Amino acid sequence: MSTQPNIVISEVDLERLERLLDSLPANAFPGHQALEAELERAEIRPSKEMPDNVVTMNSEVRFRMSSSNEEFTLRLVYPKDADGSAGKISILAPVGGALLGLAQGDEIEWPGPGGGTVKVRIEEIIYQPERSGDFHR
């Protein structure tokens, strides 16, 4: 991956994601190693100190896929909450892992399905739990 912006993750999200990743086989989903690497390099902050322009778990984010110039608005959720309804994307989905910790305006290259890469750009954080005072979602 050539583009690696700084990422910020809350302590709560880090703890829950580490538990989730520990419970899965090493190659359980595309991007598993990339997500682990992102967690290792992330700046970790208490939930109450999260910048309000950063994608956290359960954030609703508008983002653009640079390769196709398609724009999406989705809520980043844990696998248990990805019930197949419209408007949600699992952290374990290739693009889902790319979103976490990015700030509005950031771009990142991420492993895509089928072995290629995708470039994702954060356009807007529509909803962020921490910004709304929900620190334990």
Side-chain angles (χ1 to χ4, degrees):
M1 288 183 290
S2 60
T3 306
Q4 291 201 338
N6 294 330
I7 61 170
V8 181
I9 299 175
S10 77
E11 290 175 335
V12 171
D13 288 347
L14 176 65
E15 179 183 321
R16 290 177 181 170
L17 289 169
E18 285 180 334
R19 264 188 280 144
L20 173 63
L21 290 174
D22 286 347
S23 74
L24 298 171
N27 293 317
F29 62 95
H32 187 276
Q33 291 176 345
L35 181 56
E36 283 184 335
E38 290 295 273
L39 295 178
E40 287 177 19
R41 75 177 190 89
E43 176 186 339
I44 309 303
R45 292 195 185 176
S47 295
K48 292 182 180 182
E49 294 177 17
M50 285 301 295
D52 63 4
N53 68 335
V54 169
V55 179
T56 62
M57 292 303 300
N58 298 299
S59 289
E60 184 174 354
V61 59
R62 185 169 56 88
F63 63 95
R64 181 174 308 278
M65 303 292 289
S66 297
S67 58
S68 64
N69 208 30
E70 274 187 277
E71 191 171 277
F72 301 89
T73 300
L74 298 170
R75 183 174 303 265
L76 182 63
V77 298
Y78 293 98
K80 67 180 180 62
D81 299 319
D83 55 13
S85 62
K88 295 180 182 177
I89 188 167
S90 170
I91 185 70
L92 302 185
V95 174
L99 299 173
L100 183 68
L102 295 180
Q104 190 168 311
D106 283 348
E107 279 191 346
I108 192 168
E109 287 183 17
W110 196 257
T117 61
V118 295
K119 188 178 263 188
V120 178
R121 176 182 167 79
I122 305 300
E123 300 293 339
E124 179 184 12
I125 312 295
I126 297 166
Y127 168 78
Q128 183 207 60
E130 292 82 359
R131 182 170 65 203
S132 297
D134 187 359
F135 302 112
H136 303 289
R137 80 251 162 271

